[in-house]
Amino acid sequence: MATPRWFGSLLLAGALLAGASAAEAHPHVWVTSTSELVYSADGSLTGVRYAWTFDDMFSSYALQGVETRTKGVYTREELAPLAQTNVEALKEFDYFSVAKADGKKQQFLEPVDYFMDAKDGLLTLHFMLPLKVPVKSKELALDVYDPTFFVDFKLAEQDPANLVGAPAACQIKVQRPADGTASAQVLGEQNFADGGNLTFGVMFANKITVNCP
Amino acid sequence: MMPFFRARSTRALVIAVAALAVLASLDAALHPMLAQNAFGGPRPAAAPEVGGIVGWLLARQSEFYKEISAAIRSAKSDGSAVWTLLAVSFAYGIFHAAGPGHGKAVISSYLVANQETARRGIALSFVSALLQALVAILIVAIGAWIMNVTAKTMCSAETGIEIASYALIAAFGARLVWTKGGSFIRALQARPELSMAAAGGHHHHQGHDHHHGHGHAHDHVHDEHCGHSHGPEPEQLAGPGGWRRGLAAVLTVGVRPCSGAILVLVFALANGLFWAGIAATFVMGLGTAITVATIAVLAVSAKDVARRLSSAREGSGVLIMRGIEFGAAGLVLLLGLGLLFGYLSAERVTCF
């Protein structure tokens, strides 16, 4: 029995909740990532050395209020507090990195050897992200993405990922998400109705895989 | 003393249970609807299989946002790019507010819960959007321009404001739930068949408690339907209280700045174009206001439709309207709590 009052409530609920479903997500920060996968002598992966370059708008924002001796020139020392703030803040987001060795998720330790530099108004954060336990695996997959898509990660056009000290047989492969706009369009409302948007950044993931037969 | 407390706690319990019921039914009603189209409008004509409207909105927002920074960059050398900046900011504001977000949900729910007019809905939308723009401008003007603090300090200020704003929404929602819950329960009691069922069935005990609650809660709720079962008259719907009442809604929503606006402002400042950033922020607010106002008017009209349809029904019509208002009030409370405790994420303030 489709009563009119039911229809009225539906209309109302729709108008009310049109906006209320959940997270608001569009990128505010763009990061171009390059990474080095660092191996130990026995052929196990010990960690990832990242260099993340931020877009100019976010770089301006982050550089706001940073004291310098020469205006517009930022030294590593002057950027040291900022670098520290960054790596500390990144912990909450698990460094936007998911590493899986033969399908098993790996834990990271806190970053070491971190610093920042600024070139042409663009900030780059360098840091080494060590694995809690170095791992030897046939297949290793590293995803770099923000599940909430506040930060849009992109692998660098040139040399997005390299192996350092890996066994000679290991091969690295890089997989980029399809054009971001196209992917955004493919996302249906169902993702949002199901609350799936909390993880929909995975569709934009940048996957680095290493196969060591 | 005892009956007073018992009545109060029973009322709270009934409110909580009813709130859950209302929200559960809202949710059930909503899912099939959302699955078809999040905004109740026609589907985009092109490529319906892949055209998720939310995804599409996000893609547009993303584009406009990028174009804002590009426009600021070129405005440094070419003054006419400021016009592009303003146009893109306006478009961004419209699209940004059309995506999922809590501001319009709070305003719309408030309007529905409080029998407000569409005109007031439009005014509230504009005032809150402009307040939001103003807060962003003040944060950057004082923080970055005058005091030259770091982004980290500015971000802590933002986070503080954000938490306060969520707490305000929750408090505002709690107040609405309390008052609307009272009206709802009274409408429930006034419904003859329901009272009979309550008296005859296992609800017997609860039914009595209702009456205690009724007597004691009477003082602070202005309810014109106490014990009567007739539909609301138009003149009763304008609602007293004036601007002071709407102020709470404006403050809860408007006090929290948009992180996008702050980034744009700092970027403009760094490029020596702070004034252009300020203009862009206001225009962005204008765009946001238009979208929020549209959704608010939609919510108010939907309630009008519901009222017209339900006024034909003796007794239960009042109950339905009180139920809807109560549900809307509950929604504000849940939104506030959800945001406050991180179950819902709005666009988050990033401090890194």
Side-chain angles (χ1 to χ4, degrees):
Chain A
M1 186 177 71
T3 60
R5 80 166 193 221
W6 180 233
F7 177 66
S9 329
L10 255 180
L11 261 182
L12 174 83
L16 264 184
L17 285 199
S21 43
E24 191 171 10
H26 80 83
H28 285 63
V29 182
W30 283 266
V31 168
T32 307
S33 165
T34 61
S35 41
E36 289 179 343
L37 285 79
V38 183
Y39 287 78
S40 65
D42 73 340
S44 44
L45 178 74
T46 56
V48 186
R49 186 175 290 132
Y50 279 120
W52 287 352
T53 303
F54 298 100
D55 66 293
D56 60 352
M57 186 137 81
F58 183 77
S59 295
S60 295
Y61 176 73
L63 287 170
Q64 159 61 37
V66 173
E67 302 281 342
T68 55
R69 259 163 301 168
T70 321
K71 196 176 182 298
V73 181
Y74 300 89
T75 65
R76 233 178 242 200
E77 293 71 40
E78 287 162 344
L79 292 173
L82 190 58
Q84 188 171 350
T85 308
N86 270 255
V87 290
E88 278 167 9
L90 281 171
K91 189 180 179 181
E92 191 190 326
F93 307 106
D94 295 322
Y95 310 100
F96 299 119
S97 302
V98 177
K100 282 184 182 161
D102 294 328
K104 202 167 157 278
K105 202 178 161 189
Q106 302 298 306
Q107 306 285 319
F108 290 109
L109 294 175
E110 282 180 21
V112 291
D113 302 337
Y114 50 84
F115 64 93
M116 272 187 142
D117 53 35
K119 214 169 84 184
D120 303 328
L122 298 184
L123 263 179
T124 302
L125 173 69
H126 304 258
F127 64 103
M128 169 76 189
L129 190 60
L131 282 178
K132 196 170 178 188
V133 184
V135 64
K136 232 183 217 173
S137 63
K138 274 206 174 71
E139 194 197 68
L140 183 112
L142 175 67
D143 285 321
V144 188
Y145 69 97
D146 176 4
T148 64
F149 204 38
F150 187 88
V151 184
D152 183 356
F153 282 91
K154 193 180 92 191
L155 296 180
E157 295 295 329
Q158 288 194 335
D159 285 336
N162 285 312
L163 295 173
V164 177
C170 293
Q171 283 196 320
I172 191 163
K173 216 169 56 195
V174 165
Q175 189 190 324
R176 294 186 169 85
D179 173 50
T181 24
S183 310
Q185 282 173 344
V186 176
L187 287 170
E189 297 88 349
Q190 201 54 45
N191 293 74
F192 288 84
D194 294 345
N197 53 337
L198 291 177
T199 52
F200 89 101
V202 75
M203 296 185 192
F204 300 85
N206 300 280
K207 201 184 267 300
I208 298 165
T209 33
V210 183
N211 285 298
C212 300
Chain B
M1 244 5 231
M2 258 326 270
F4 178 80
F5 277 114
R6 212 176 68 188
R8 284 258 160 155
S9 60
T10 309
R11 181 179 171 189
L13 186 75
V14 172
I15 287 175
V17 169
L20 280 176
V22 168
L23 283 159
S25 60
L26 270 185
D27 188 56
L30 216 69
H31 264 275
M33 228 175 100
L34 277 175
Q36 282 176 4
N37 192 317
F39 294 97
R43 276 179 167 283
E49 286 90 6
V50 294
I53 193 161
V54 178
W56 183 78
L57 282 170
L58 288 177
R60 291 291 87 70
Q61 278 183 56
S62 205
E63 266 168 40
F64 288 134
Y65 190 69
K66 269 185 161 164
E67 280 172 33
I68 289 176
S69 63
I72 293 176
R73 227 170 288 140
S74 45
K76 253 167 80 173
S77 49
D78 172 17
S80 69
V82 171
W83 294 110
T84 316
L85 172 67
L86 294 184
V88 177
S89 300
F90 183 65
Y92 174 76
I94 288 180
F95 277 84
H96 191 58
H102 70 280
K104 65 202 138 307
V106 172
I107 290 197
S108 302
S109 309
Y110 163 79
L111 293 171
V112 168
N114 258 354
Q115 315 190 332
E116 297 288 10
T117 57
R119 186 181 296 175
R120 185 188 278 256
I122 294 171
L124 288 180
S125 306
F126 274 81
V127 175
S128 65
L130 290 179
L131 178 66
Q132 206 180 14
L134 204 64
V135 171
I137 291 166
L138 281 178
I139 286 182
V140 178
I142 297 173
W145 191 41
I146 299 176
M147 294 168 69
N148 197 26
V149 298
T150 59
K152 194 184 171 187
T153 312
M154 221 153 50
C155 200
S156 320
E158 252 182 273
T159 313
I161 292 174
E162 188 180 74
I163 291 169
S165 130
Y166 294 162
L168 272 175
I169 293 174
F172 181 55
R175 212 191 92 211
L176 279 178
V177 164
W178 185 252
T179 51
K180 293 301 153 188
S183 312
F184 181 56
I185 288 173
R186 250 165 281 130
L188 215 56
Q189 289 166 344
R191 206 181 156 190
E193 65 266 45
L194 217 91
S195 316
M196 254 142 70
H202 60 283
H203 291 297
H204 182 79
H205 180 70
Q206 240 181 0
H208 272 287
D209 277 341
H210 282 190
H211 285 284
H212 287 297
H214 170 83
H216 290 282
H218 190 73
D219 51 332
H220 61 100
V221 188
H222 57 278
D223 186 44
E224 63 281 0
H225 301 295
C226 221
H228 304 284
S229 42
H230 58 77
E233 302 299 323
E235 61 266 24
Q236 291 171 317
L237 294 169
W243 279 104
R244 217 156 38 108
R245 212 180 35 178
L247 198 68
V250 167
L251 273 179
T252 52
V253 175
V255 79
R256 180 180 168 276
C258 153
S259 26
I262 293 201
L263 276 162
V264 167
L265 280 164
V266 175
F267 187 55
L269 178 67
N271 283 288
L273 288 162
F274 194 36
W275 63 273
I278 291 176
T281 306
F282 274 123
V283 172
M284 217 186 273
L286 205 64
T288 306
I290 289 173
T291 305
V292 175
T294 308
I295 293 169
V297 168
L298 216 67
V300 171
S301 325
K303 193 191 176 192
D304 282 345
V305 171
R307 185 189 327 113
R308 236 173 291 132
L309 292 173
S310 65
S311 65
R313 304 163 71 99
E314 274 284 305
S316 66
V318 177
L319 183 64
I320 291 164
M321 292 318 292
R322 292 294 93 83
I324 288 174
E325 287 163 12
F326 179 47
L331 204 61
V332 177
L333 175 62
L334 281 189
L335 273 172
L337 291 176
L339 289 164
L340 193 59
F341 296 110
Y343 293 118
L344 285 173
S345 59
E347 193 174 79
R348 70 169 187 254
V349 174
T350 335
C351 300
F352 67 78

